[in-house]
Amino acid sequence: MEKKIVNNYGSFDIVMAKGKGSTLWDVNGKKYIDFIAGIGVNCLGHNYKPLVKAVAGQAKREIHISNYYFSDIGLDFAENLLMVTGFERGYFGNSGAEANEAAIKLARKYGQLNGGSKRKTIVTLESSFHGRTLATLTATGQDKFHPDSFAPYPEGFKTIKANDFDALKGAFDDTTAALFIECIQGEGGVNLISPEWAQAAAKAAREAGAIVMADEVQTGVGRTGTFLASDSLGFNPEVVTLAKGIAGGVPMGACLFRGKAADVFVAGDHQSTFAGNPLACAAGLVVLDTVSDQAFLDRVNHAGDYIRGQIASWNLPIVKDVRGKGLMIGTQIDLSVKPFDIEVRCLEKGLCTTTAGADVVRFLPPLNISDKEIEEGLAIYKEVLKEFC
């Protein structure tokens, strides 16, 4: 397969053929419990009937039109998304990296309009991850994502340590355009951000004249038990970025703005050919209707608490911590064992997991995963962890 498709992802030699709910089957008929959900993308699982029906129905009407025009389904989706999130305006893209690129450009323009050419620095957090383009890689607060082979990197980014109040001293000045917070550091190790620290950081940034932005590519759309994770952190960003599960598996991203950021972009500032196409918007409406329901979000919280509680109750010496929020879950593993080896063994036994940071096994299951699938997946996970003890 590597000879046909460049294996940038380090993909396993497995070919998936179909899925239903939170279960996948490969071309050989082997069954897997899906605790990855396309890295948080398949938020309603596989073959979710309302989503399938909406996509098929929209494909019969129109799949794509030029952004020189509006689509009726696109306007409906935008109106509903803004209503659910409390933002004023938005821009659609195709991915999280595109959404974050839009946020970066908006921040730079805001700085130019409110302080001149010197106000261009975007402050991000150590251990963060914001994407794979050159700008979003530079914004990412992990040195391993900055190899010399991709240099030179764009200027105008600096990082501070999350949850460190001392790091806020002198972090922002009249050169700061924005603070960019990843609400839970997914790729960094499922690291939680303290609400008190996030609020203090936002206050310091705004006092310096900067705007505050939230990267919710992974934490948004109900993943952490509220539609936006920034709502539970309480720092009220002027800009929020979304992607992953926003359209349930159809490629889509969004950059939403309000307040001081609402009117920064004008025609020509940022564009994308496929952004917000009718097919993605039709899928997005189903996701919004489902995930914004409070009972649905309560179930996400309950399921996440249950999974974390079960793992902790096993009292296995290999497990150093179990953390996360909603159905974004990380198991910190003793450094004597490589999380990737656990991922491989889980896969062999029929459980899809992934890793994060240097020592974390990460779960991002579909938000509507059934109790039965949770139990099946946990049984495999417990068996594998015991093998490594």
Side-chain angles (χ1 to χ4, degrees):
M1 284 184 286
E2 284 190 50
K3 293 179 180 179
K4 296 180 180 180
I5 301 174
V6 176
N7 196 359
N8 285 345
Y9 305 96
S11 303
F12 295 100
D13 192 17
I14 294 171
V15 181
M16 294 299 183
K18 64 179 180 178
K20 184 176 182 180
S22 298
T23 304
L24 290 164
W25 288 267
D26 66 20
V27 291
N28 298 313
K30 182 177 177 178
K31 172 184 171 181
Y32 303 82
I33 301 300
D34 187 3
F35 272 19
I36 300 178
I39 317 181
V41 168
N42 301 103
C43 65
L44 298 178
H46 306 278
N47 198 20
Y48 183 65
K49 288 184 179 179
L51 186 61
V52 172
K53 181 180 178 180
V55 170
Q58 185 58 43
K60 292 178 181 179
R61 297 179 63 228
E62 59 182 8
I63 292 177
H64 176 72
I65 59 170
S66 166
N67 278 318
Y68 289 134
Y69 318 108
F70 295 106
S71 71
D72 54 355
I73 196 78
L75 291 174
D76 285 347
F77 177 67
E79 182 178 356
N80 280 271
L81 180 61
L82 294 175
M83 180 178 64
V84 168
T85 58
F87 280 75
E88 298 172 43
R89 305 182 73 187
Y91 163 82
F92 294 135
N94 304 302
S95 65
E98 274 198 38
N100 285 341
E101 283 279 344
I104 289 167
K105 288 175 71 175
L106 187 148
R108 291 279 170 78
K109 185 177 179 185
Y110 175 85
Q112 183 78 237
L113 295 173
N114 295 272
S117 59
K118 67 179 180 180
R119 189 181 288 279
K120 62 183 179 182
T121 302
I122 296 172
V123 178
T124 65
L125 308 184
E126 294 178 10
S127 299
S128 61
F129 180 83
H130 295 287
R132 297 282 185 172
T133 66
L134 280 176
T136 55
L137 274 179
T138 313
T140 292
Q142 299 184 62
D143 288 341
K144 69 178 182 179
F145 290 108
H146 306 147
D148 290 342
S149 54
F150 297 148
Y153 292 89
E155 298 178 350
F157 295 90
K158 78 173 186 179
T159 58
I160 59 174
K161 188 175 181 180
N163 300 328
D164 184 344
F165 285 89
D166 287 338
L168 300 179
K169 298 174 183 177
F172 311 101
D173 55 27
D174 61 1
T175 68
T176 309
L179 166 66
F180 204 7
I181 294 178
E182 189 184 12
C183 294
I184 294 177
Q185 296 178 333
E187 296 293 334
V190 192
N191 305 318
L192 301 180
I193 303 298
S194 156
E196 294 78 15
W197 185 86
Q199 292 166 31
K203 183 174 184 288
R206 289 184 178 114
E207 287 177 349
I211 56 172
V212 178
M213 310 194 299
D215 179 341
E216 298 232 33
V217 168
Q218 194 167 132
T219 61
V221 197
R223 173 58 54 186
T224 62
T226 52
F227 194 85
L228 295 179
S230 53
D231 288 343
S232 62
L233 290 179
F235 65 95
N236 300 315
E238 283 82 26
V239 178
V240 67
T241 57
L242 301 168
K244 297 287 188 185
I246 192 172
V250 180
M252 189 179 214
C255 181
L256 309 181
F257 5 99
R258 62 186 170 191
K260 293 183 290 185
D263 298 316
V264 173
F265 273 163
V266 298
D269 277 345
H270 194 62
Q271 299 174 344
S272 176
T273 298
F274 294 99
N277 77 64
L279 194 72
C281 290
L285 271 175
V286 175
V287 171
L288 278 180
D289 289 345
T290 306
V291 175
S292 62
D293 179 72
Q294 188 57 52
F296 184 93
L297 293 170
D298 289 344
R299 169 61 171 55
V300 170
N301 281 311
H302 174 76
D305 289 344
Y306 178 77
I307 292 171
R308 286 188 294 275
Q310 286 296 107
I311 297 170
S313 73
W314 300 338
N315 293 314
L316 298 174
I318 193 177
V319 175
K320 297 306 176 185
D321 189 23
V322 187
R323 56 180 179 260
K325 199 169 184 182
L327 284 170
M328 187 173 181
I329 299 164
T331 307
Q332 186 177 0
I333 303 299
D334 188 271
L335 288 173
S336 63
V337 177
K338 295 179 180 179
F340 179 74
D341 292 340
I342 294 174
E343 178 185 359
V344 170
R345 188 65 178 135
C346 283
L347 198 59
E348 291 171 349
K349 288 181 170 289
L351 175 66
C352 299
T353 66
T354 186
T355 62
D359 57 356
V360 170
V361 177
R362 178 175 41 157
F363 296 165
L364 296 164
L367 302 181
N368 58 349
I369 186 171
S370 70
D371 293 343
K372 181 177 182 293
E373 288 164 321
I374 288 174
E375 295 299 346
E376 286 186 63
L378 285 177
I380 295 171
Y381 191 49
K382 183 178 182 180
E383 184 180 336
V384 170
L385 290 181
K386 283 184 172 181
E387 291 181 6
F388 285 88
C389 286

